[in-house]
Amino acid sequence: MYIIGTAGHVDHGKSTLIEALTGIHPDRLKEEKEREMTIDLGFAWMTLPGGEQIGIVDVPGHRDFIENMLAGIGGIDAVLFVVAADEGVMPQTREHLAILDILQVGAGIVALTKIDMIDDPGWLDMVEEDVRQTLQGTVLADAPILRVSSTTGKGIRELIDHLQTCLENRPPRMDLGRARLPIDRVFTISGFGTVVTGTLLDGRLQLGEEVEILPSGQRGRIRGLQTHKRKEQTAHPGSRTAVNISGIEVHQIRRGEVLVHPGKYQPGHLLDVHFRLLPDASGPVKHNSEVKFFLGAAEIIARVRTLGSDEIKPGEEGWLQLELREPAVAVRGDHYILRRPSPGETLGGGVVVDPSPKGRHRRFSEEVLSRLESLLGGSPADVLLESFQLMGPVSIREAVARARLAEDQASSALHELLEGDKLVLLEEGEVSSAADLLAISRQQWTVETEKVERELANYHRTYPLRTGMPREELKSRLKIRSPRLFSAEVRRWVEDGTIQSGGSYLWKPGHTIRLTQSQNQQAERLLEKFARSPYSPPTIKEAQAEVGEDVYQAMINLGYLVAVSTEVAFRKQDYDQMVEMVREHFQSEETLTAAQFRDRLNTSRRYVLAFLEHLDAIGMTVREGDARKLRK
């Protein structure tokens, strides 16, 4: 399904032409009918000869209602550009054409209307030539110009045939599975409740689904769907859709908000955009100036931050960061318009390149400008890589969604990045553009790897007697909140040989514990005390008091001592001997009691219980009542 939008000067016959094409007069407001002038958006629909249904959005032509026009023109597939034969090109003709050019509405037909009012064929030729000259250098430069009369019907059949041809060559709307419907009308119907309408730009809506209104965050459920007054179970991308919502009152929604699936979009106050100032603008756009920002059906006051320059002059292009007074829902590739608030004037517009920058940019940063250029003109692989760069470690599916690439483009771009070693997979699994696997750009992975190497090196210098850093401490130092992400990164670092892992500790390859001469002497004195009483040695607390916690832990890590509980440790050779005694006992006996082992070692119950419970914990023995058995 496609949407056609009208454009052109006031009273050039747009609404009358729509009625001649569809049998539906788009003016719905009482004031519009009384004044015979379109004030707000009007809607109609028709079926083309090939059976394709199209919707038509009729927009105001009067300069006082140009901002209402912008609310309807953003979601169209092609334009029906109307010029009256009796007046020719007028001021709003040129302004509407400039807006279409900025929005890159690349398909259209020019209808030269009211030809029944002209008797001189030469006049029509002159007007048509003037129109053709006006179209030069714009998106409608090659559009056909058809002479029609809505009153007599002359040329209407040819116009319909051209509409069919025009739309046959238009690509279908992308369906990235992220439904987004900018709301251009909100009203209530008795017995049904709240209804919103708009053009569904992406994804599908289904009866019964939960939906969210952004940026307000109101949530409701789809009670009914209609397209051209026909009930539907599913609304498809590109369709003019009316959504009956339960759970939200009509006064809680306003034009310009966006209906989406919950959690799919995040409204933001900052946008990075490429901007083109119209050649006939009254003056430059300067840094820190205030503008009206139009996107979809939204109209928001914004402050301009010029990037790379202090101003953009008429006819020039440049980069802007827009600070919006209210948050907007935008995606990369959206086209927008800027107007001067007072006196009202269309300044220009362009395309959104980053809908959620991390913060205010340094205005003259070469790095920022280079990144924006890459986003604007890059290949699908460039755009996807930039998406990973902006989002950091993220699932492939989320990065693809942000890049706003079609499935075939995303798949090709993904494999190109992986084959070119520009992307690092952090998790194992089947790779596809819809995969939930975590990945990171090679550039950021290098930075992360250098960071973890630096953190571990610093830790080893600070604590040379420790095996490594506790995993949780490294997670905290790297400021990684997600346990899943941290585990994935550690796994990859271990695979790459960047770090080594053991138990709950992580360390750099080649790191070994080395005691100083003084520390060695302390350790030897402590081991002598353990040797004098091998089965009743000093407690851990006493050992730490003797040599300090770090040297004691080093003795554990180096294998000099084996801790069997939080209170008791043995020399490694004594521990091994005790284990062998237990094995020998079970060669002739089925059970071993604490009393038996205490008598064998001639020690206290405190040490025996700690040792036997340790054997239970490591799975060598199993306790049954007061005795132990060898675990099979």
Side-chain angles (χ1 to χ4, degrees):
M1 184 174 294
Y2 295 100
I3 305 297
I4 298 288
T6 65
H9 193 76
V10 62
D11 200 30
H12 274 207
K14 296 186 294 296
S15 301
T16 306
L17 179 59
I18 289 176
E19 185 174 22
L21 287 169
T22 68
I24 302 168
H25 199 289
D27 287 348
R28 54 189 171 80
L29 302 179
K30 180 181 178 182
E31 186 182 358
E32 292 177 318
K33 294 173 182 177
E34 290 175 350
R35 295 174 62 178
E36 296 185 349
M37 180 176 68
T38 300
I39 296 172
D40 205 347
L41 303 177
F43 306 98
W45 55 92
M46 64 181 292
T47 301
L48 294 174
E52 178 73 32
Q53 269 213 335
I54 63 169
I56 301 179
V57 180
D58 186 32
V59 303
H62 197 281
R63 61 183 176 83
D64 291 344
F65 307 113
I66 193 73
E67 291 171 0
N68 284 346
M69 175 263 190
L70 291 172
I73 207 71
I76 66 172
D77 299 292
V79 64
L80 187 56
F81 194 65
V82 178
V83 182
D86 60 335
E87 290 190 342
V89 175
M90 297 293 284
Q92 264 61 62
T93 308
R94 298 183 185 278
E95 186 168 11
H96 282 207
L97 180 60
I99 290 169
L100 294 169
D101 200 45
I102 291 167
L103 296 177
Q104 289 295 292
V105 180
I109 298 170
V110 180
L112 194 60
T113 58
K114 302 187 180 183
I115 60 170
D116 55 287
M117 300 177 65
I118 305 300
D119 295 326
D120 181 5
W123 175 266
L124 287 177
D125 293 340
M126 184 180 69
V127 171
E128 183 173 331
E129 179 59 28
D130 186 33
V131 171
R132 179 64 66 198
Q133 291 297 322
T134 303
L135 298 178
Q136 290 305 306
T138 74
V139 289
L140 295 182
D142 298 324
I145 300 176
L146 303 179
R147 302 177 183 186
V148 299
S149 169
S150 302
T151 303
T152 67
K154 186 175 182 179
I156 297 296
R157 172 48 57 186
E158 290 82 356
L159 178 57
I160 291 173
D161 291 340
H162 273 78
L163 283 173
Q164 169 105 20
T165 303
C166 175
L167 293 174
E168 280 176 350
N169 299 320
R170 297 299 294 164
R173 291 273 183 175
M174 284 197 301
D175 186 354
L176 302 179
R178 306 175 71 208
R180 179 170 61 125
L181 184 140
I183 297 169
D184 51 39
R185 286 183 65 202
V186 187
F187 54 93
T188 185
I189 296 178
S190 179
F192 292 92
T194 303
V195 177
V196 301
T197 69
T199 300
L200 187 56
L201 300 183
D202 184 12
R204 304 181 182 199
L205 296 174
Q206 292 189 320
L207 208 61
E209 282 184 328
E210 186 182 21
V211 291
E212 183 177 20
I213 306 296
L214 294 177
S216 68
Q218 300 285 339
R219 292 200 180 189
R221 197 164 292 279
I222 298 177
R223 184 179 179 183
L225 289 169
Q226 282 193 9
T227 297
H228 305 155
K229 293 191 175 181
R230 186 180 65 244
K231 291 183 179 180
E232 303 282 2
Q233 290 289 320
T234 302
H236 298 272
S239 62
R240 280 294 307 174
T241 303
V243 187
N244 181 203
I245 309 172
S246 63
I248 308 179
E249 299 298 323
V250 69
H251 67 270
Q252 295 176 299
I253 308 175
R254 57 187 174 86
R255 175 192 277 186
E257 292 193 290
V258 183
L259 183 147
V260 300
H261 287 145
K264 293 295 185 181
Y265 294 91
Q266 186 66 43
H269 285 274
L270 282 178
L271 295 175
D272 290 344
V273 301
H274 189 259
F275 176 71
R276 175 163 61 92
L277 183 58
L278 295 177
D280 57 355
S282 61
V285 169
K286 297 182 178 181
H287 175 67
N288 217 32
S289 57
E290 191 171 81
V291 296
K292 283 185 177 181
F293 169 74
F294 295 85
L295 177 71
E299 173 186 339
I300 303 171
I301 296 295
R303 190 161 296 281
V304 167
R305 301 187 72 241
T306 57
L307 304 178
S309 65
D310 289 318
E311 65 179 23
I312 297 175
K313 296 177 181 178
E316 292 183 346
E317 300 182 1
W319 294 103
L320 304 178
Q321 186 171 57
L322 300 177
E323 294 183 329
L324 308 180
R325 186 174 294 179
E326 300 172 20
V329 177
V331 300
R332 190 190 69 80
D334 278 351
H335 286 84
Y336 69 94
I337 296 290
L338 294 187
R339 300 196 86 229
R340 201 183 303 279
S342 181
E345 175 191 9
T346 299
L347 296 170
V351 65
V352 175
V353 295
D354 187 356
S356 52
K358 293 181 179 179
R360 300 177 80 201
H361 298 311
R362 289 182 290 126
R363 292 179 49 228
F364 294 92
S365 166
E366 288 298 328
E367 181 182 350
V368 168
L369 296 173
S370 175
R371 182 178 65 80
L372 293 176
E373 289 286 354
S374 175
L375 275 175
L376 179 67
S379 67
D382 294 331
V383 172
L384 182 57
L385 181 60
E386 191 64 34
S387 183
F388 276 104
Q389 293 275 50
L390 291 169
M391 300 181 79
V394 69
S395 73
I396 294 173
R397 174 178 50 78
E398 291 174 294
V400 167
R402 182 187 176 112
R404 203 164 175 247
L405 296 173
E407 184 178 349
D408 57 340
Q409 288 181 316
S411 179
S412 175
L414 178 62
H415 286 93
E416 182 179 335
L417 293 178
L418 289 171
E419 290 171 5
D421 196 32
K422 295 181 179 180
L423 195 64
V424 177
L425 287 176
L426 299 179
E427 294 179 317
E428 296 177 334
E430 185 176 349
V431 178
S432 73
S433 59
D436 198 39
L437 304 177
L438 293 175
I440 186 174
S441 72
R442 171 60 70 181
Q443 180 182 347
Q444 289 183 323
W445 181 241
T446 299
V447 173
E448 289 292 301
T449 301
E450 290 173 352
K451 189 186 299 183
V452 75
E453 289 178 323
R454 188 165 57 250
E455 289 291 346
L456 288 177
N458 290 338
Y459 189 88
H460 294 330
R461 279 194 296 271
T462 306
Y463 304 105
L465 301 183
R466 299 183 185 179
T467 299
M469 186 187 297
R471 290 174 66 99
E472 284 302 310
E473 184 171 347
L474 180 61
K475 179 172 174 285
S476 176
R477 291 194 182 198
L478 295 177
K479 298 180 180 179
I480 300 175
R481 295 183 179 180
S482 165
R484 173 190 172 188
L485 174 59
F486 180 67
S487 295
E489 291 195 333
V490 167
R491 181 192 67 83
R492 184 63 193 251
W493 281 320
V494 170
E495 283 183 0
D496 293 347
T498 302
I499 65 176
Q500 290 184 308
S501 172
S504 60
Y505 294 95
L506 301 166
W507 62 90
K508 280 176 64 69
H511 169 67
T512 56
I513 299 171
R514 291 185 177 88
L515 298 176
T516 65
Q517 184 177 355
S518 173
Q519 291 167 340
N520 262 318
Q521 291 172 352
Q522 287 180 300
E524 288 172 3
R525 286 195 296 269
L526 180 60
L527 290 173
E528 287 173 3
K529 289 187 177 183
F530 272 74
R532 288 196 292 268
S533 184
Y535 308 126
S536 304
T539 64
I540 290 176
K541 188 174 182 180
E542 290 168 342
Q544 289 175 337
E546 177 82 17
V547 299
E549 291 186 16
D550 284 348
V551 173
Y552 164 77
Q553 189 60 46
M555 295 176 71
I556 293 288
N557 294 336
L558 289 169
Y560 299 162
L561 300 175
V562 178
V564 297
S565 73
T566 57
E567 296 180 353
V568 176
F570 297 98
R571 281 193 314 164
K572 179 65 167 62
Q573 56 265 51
D574 299 329
Y575 170 85
D576 290 342
Q577 189 175 27
M578 293 164 71
V579 171
E580 189 57 32
M581 288 179 185
V582 171
R583 293 188 184 280
E584 289 175 357
H585 177 86
F586 282 121
Q587 288 179 2
S588 57
E589 303 288 340
E590 287 190 7
T591 62
L592 172 66
T593 65
Q596 287 175 313
F597 203 54
R598 179 196 62 200
D599 294 344
R600 173 79 183 272
L601 298 177
N602 190 25
T603 186
S604 69
R605 186 176 178 85
R606 172 186 190 179
Y607 292 99
V608 168
L609 285 179
F611 180 74
L612 292 179
E613 288 172 359
H614 165 75
L615 295 186
D616 294 340
I618 65 173
M620 180 177 174
T621 57
V622 58
R623 181 175 176 177
E624 291 186 1
D626 292 333
R628 262 101 180 154
K629 287 186 175 181
L630 194 66
R631 185 185 293 273
K632 294 182 181 179

